Amino acid sequence: MGWGNIYARRLKVFSVALIIYLDYKAVQKREKWTKKSKRPDLWEKAHERNAKRVLSLIIALEGLWVKLGQYLSTRADVLPGAYILCLRQLQDSLPPRSLHEVCQTIQKELGKPMDDLFTDFVQTPLATASIAQVHRATLINGKEVVVKVQHLGIKEIILEDLKNAKSIVDWIAWAEPQYDFNPMIDEWCKEAPKELDFNTEAENTRTVSRNLGCKNKGEDNKSAYAVDVLIPDVIQSTETVLVLEYMDGIRLNDTESLEAFGVNNQKIVEEITRAYAHQIYVDGFFNGDPHPGNFLVSKEPPHRPILLDFGLTKKLSSSVKQALAKMFLASAEGDHVALLSAFSEMGLKLRLDLPEQAMDVTSVFFRNSTPASEAHETVKNLAEQRSKNMKIIQEKMKLNQKEVKRFNPVDAFPGDIVIFTRVLNLLRGLSSSMNVRIVYMDIMRPFAESVLKENNNKGPEINAQWIHETPVHSDVEAKLRQFLIELGKDDKILGMQVCAYKDGKVIIDTAAGVLGKYDPRPVQPDSLFPVFSVTKGITAGMLHWLVDNGKLKLEDNVANIWPEFSSNGKHLIKVHHVLNHTSGLHNALADIREDFLLLADWDECLKRMAMAAPETEPGQSQLYHYLSFGWLCGGIIEHASGKKFQEVLEEAFIHPLNIEGELYIGIPPGVESRLAALTLDTDDLSKFSELSARSGITSTLPSTFQGSSISQLATAMPALFNMLNIRRAIIPAANGHCSARALARYYAALADGGAVPPPHSCLSKPPLGSYPHMPKFPSKESSKKPKGRKNKDNSKYSKELRDNIHNRNASNDSVTMLIHDDNNPGSPDSPEADSTRNNNLVSKIFCNPRIHDAFLGVGDYENLVLPNGPFGLGFKRSKTKDGSLIGFGHSGMGGSTGFCDMNNRFSIAVTLNKMSFGTTTGRILHFVSSELNLPMPEEYQRFGEKEPDTNGLVSPLIN
């Protein structure tokens, strides 16, 4: 058949490649001696010459190389015009196989002579492709059809070519690690053989036709997601013969006919793009080979695209489909958190924390298509962008030119994404070759949004898994879950966690709902929620821990600990004034709301705090330090300890309580996939705005944090605190991210005077503390080396990156690296970690026997607080109606809260992502306290009714 043996084919490929390489090198040298005006012509002739060489090689080899040529012929956006013009011939037809071979295959497969099958069979094929050729025919019943007949012996050729391609890609990946195409070729090796079974193609054709509603083209179909395309009916199929309905159409590269029939190229390509958006995002089942040869345009108006050839299709799981939709919308919105989460969900792993560069690359991926005439400029811009990104990697990792050339920032590229990437590139090439401009963000967005909206509309009434399936710890938890379902049906819950301890044991650990408005993944016990001012209770605990360890005293002047703080009349402010919200700095840094991005600059915020001037004498009035509290405490913590804020947090609470990976003040890279996204309860907000306008000034709140300003802040919070740089910032008054079970465990320890509770319930999965607290990125080499070659030592990369793990600051200029290895000593599950933990067991995080008095500001500490104020020393006091102190805690804007009743050894934490002013949280705490017959904190009494008095909203749970 003229195919030759495999070695001859390989020799041809390398020979032609070498000739082309040497040709271009020669042109580069000649260019130096050529007049500037003649240089374009010099290159054009070289492109024409080498394009013909490539075409001749492909025609000679056929098989897989035709597929490659067809793909390249669509990339008018990046390839010289000479290649596009030359390789475009592969979209139409190759030299046909003999009619004798074709008839022999048909008769063998269909089991009848040709005359018994057809009244007419056109001998000249309509087209000949890499795998088969297509003939027009008329069946005995008079129906016009096309018959697709597979080439004899093509299966063996394709499989051998795949092996050759794999060998070449392996070598390239070793020689040039930044060009590691192994994920692509691996996926192709898996998917390409499916094209060789026409029974599979027949079923794929039926499925896509059904999904796109091609047989239901009624006028009443006005759905926003309806697409107007045609797909031929399947008449009959075997493994190597496929009979389809004949559709008369115009090929996309037949420019003259398209013009003659008045076809609008823009509309045709837009509808093709919409059809693929539907297949990918709505159906999760799409054709992976949209090159121009697989499309026609119907001759009859209205001219519609005709979709052909469904041999190579890809089926996506529901989770991957959602992740792709999330990636698309994250790119459209510039949402770095959602983007990194989408990467994690689809299995795309990076070796570096470079969110800005990840966003740049993704934006390029979904960029508008450009006409072929702009191909040169497009290639230039892409090359410049890549050079810029590689330079950033080089600078961050301190690599030389050779090292950065060998470094591949991608560790794992999931197979599901390979075909998706190929489709996007082919569609872009298609639009370029037809000289139209497609705005993918506009066309594909409704389809991507529909996936996430559809899944998020499944509330508890129709979603049996709305409550995360974990064992029930108590009768109270069983009743609470039913109560949460009722709240969910009333649309009061988007996503939520509730965890409670009683007498040192877990009695509630429940997760419900979804992670976000556009994130339909279920909330799990280890999900991380932003908890706003709940963070203050943790930050205050850190100060008390330093006092407990002799690093400072509550009576110390802050200026003695933090020398820069002494400016502008602050020399009399003491540590206890800060904790009691009586320092007079309640409005300090309030102007930061004019430039919220300053929140992310830790050092600048500390500097400004040190320069701030108090408005009142210390100890004179208690006004809630809603933002300044965090930086005041943070500055004291770092100066008193001589350590970074987050190091103290880990030493004081994270490791002793074994809550690694589930409580942060400023998240590290690598946890984005577990983050809940914030949204606003607009009903609660409107009630609060209306009532606060009537009620005037609240005495315990500063002038910059009254009703109207609280409403404005609440409205801005979801967008602001969903931003990656804000989530990663150290904002000790407002930026905690935690699970309810980690927060409840913290308060359980506080309720018992600092005694560490027994290990968290074994019923909770994954186990609490099972994550490395600082996720790291994989550092292993991605490419296999050929035998006889030695690996270069990568220890430099690892050392440079590990040195940066704890030097992260809010500007996010860090690079972190991580080994995903259960045997890594840094992993909580490793034997080394278990040994370390057992040798450093901590039974108490506080030694002071009167630590409760210190938290509440009573007893020996009474003279350190303003009498009768709502705050003790860092914590909100909780009283019953008769004025008895029963506990303490802290709530946050949005409704999350942490609380403990030390008299009854009870603690509870609620985390949520649908921000309210405490209505839902209050009802949950009231319900649990009532079921346990515990005394009710006064602030929760008003939530006893199903519809509490709205006047209760005037005192939001934030203070």
Side-chain angles (χ1 to χ4, degrees), residues 465-760:
Q465 304 302 316
W466 190 79
I467 296 279
H468 185 66
E469 191 173 354
T470 52
V472 175
H473 295 79
S474 64
D475 291 341
V476 175
E477 183 169 30
K479 294 177 182 178
L480 174 67
R481 291 186 177 186
Q482 289 303 312
F483 184 60
L484 292 181
I485 288 174
E486 293 304 314
L487 291 174
K489 289 178 180 178
D490 291 339
D491 198 29
K492 293 300 180 184
I493 296 175
L494 179 63
M496 174 177 280
Q497 298 166 323
V498 183
C499 184
Y501 278 71
K502 182 73 174 71
D503 299 326
K505 296 181 180 180
V506 178
I507 60 170
I508 297 171
D509 192 1
T510 290
V514 295
L515 285 175
K517 185 178 179 181
Y518 292 111
D519 191 342
R521 292 176 300 145
V523 173
Q524 300 190 49
D526 62 336
S527 299
L528 300 174
F529 284 73
V531 293
F532 295 101
S533 287
V534 174
T535 317
K536 291 182 177 71
I538 300 164
T539 303
M542 293 167 67
L543 259 182
H544 282 285
W545 183 81
L546 288 174
V547 172
D548 203 59
N549 282 272
K551 298 296 184 182
L552 75 158
K553 297 178 181 178
L554 293 172
E555 299 87 350
D556 285 345
N557 286 337
V558 176
N560 292 340
I561 303 167
W562 181 0
E564 297 86 352
F565 189 78
S566 61
S567 64
N568 292 322
K570 299 195 295 296
H571 56 285
L572 296 179
I573 297 176
K574 299 181 184 296
V575 173
H576 65 80
H577 292 136
V578 171
L579 286 170
N580 192 228
H581 296 266
T582 56
S583 74
L585 292 164
H586 40 274
N587 285 322
L589 271 67
D591 59 347
I592 206 169
R593 290 184 296 183
E594 298 174 7
D595 184 4
F596 271 125
L597 294 182
L598 277 176
L599 286 168
D601 193 333
W602 172 247
D603 292 331
E604 179 62 22
C605 287
L606 289 184
K607 180 180 176 182
R608 291 191 180 200
M609 186 56 64
M611 298 303 295
E615 297 180 34
T616 61
E617 290 293 321
Q620 295 302 305
S621 59
Q622 190 175 79
L623 290 168
Y624 185 49
H625 291 35
Y626 63 102
L627 269 179
S628 55
F629 183 89
W631 293 305
L632 286 168
C633 291
I636 296 170
I637 289 167
E638 290 203 340
H639 284 83
S641 67
K643 297 179 180 180
K644 294 293 185 182
F645 181 89
Q646 290 166 320
E647 292 175 346
V648 177
L649 174 61
E650 290 180 39
E651 184 181 351
F653 303 139
I654 302 300
H655 300 311
L657 294 174
N658 193 25
I659 53 176
E660 288 88 351
E662 294 194 31
L663 192 153
Y664 297 100
I665 300 177
I667 64 165
V671 303
E672 292 84 6
S673 65
R674 291 192 287 130
L675 293 178
L678 295 166
T679 190
L680 195 62
D681 187 333
T682 53
D683 290 341
D684 219 14
L685 177 65
S686 62
K687 290 177 184 178
F688 178 82
S689 301
E690 178 185 345
L691 293 168
S692 60
R694 295 202 309 258
S695 303
I697 294 175
T698 305
S699 60
T700 57
L701 297 180
S703 58
T704 57
F705 199 57
Q706 290 293 321
S708 60
S709 61
I710 292 175
S711 298
Q712 292 171 3
L713 270 175
T715 303
M717 288 300 99
L720 179 66
F721 277 80
N722 282 336
M723 293 171 60
L724 183 64
N725 62 331
I726 297 297
R727 287 189 185 255
R728 289 186 175 182
I730 305 170
I731 312 173
N735 202 35
H737 285 76
C738 63
S739 64
R741 62 184 185 174
L743 185 60
R745 186 170 176 80
Y746 168 70
Y747 274 101
L750 300 192
D752 276 352
V756 175
H760 191 78

Side-chain angles (χ1 to χ4, degrees), residues 281 322-343 358-360 362-363 366 441 445 448-449 452 518:
Y281 295 118
Q322 291 173 11
L324 286 175
K326 192 174 183 181
M327 178 177 72
F328 179 89
L329 294 172
S331 178
E333 298 290 342
D335 186 340
H336 295 79
V337 173
L339 180 67
L340 296 179
S341 176
F343 283 176
M359 181 62 73
D360 287 345
T362 309
S363 297
F366 292 115
M441 288 295 181
R445 181 167 189 149
E449 286 181 337
L452 302 182
Y518 292 111

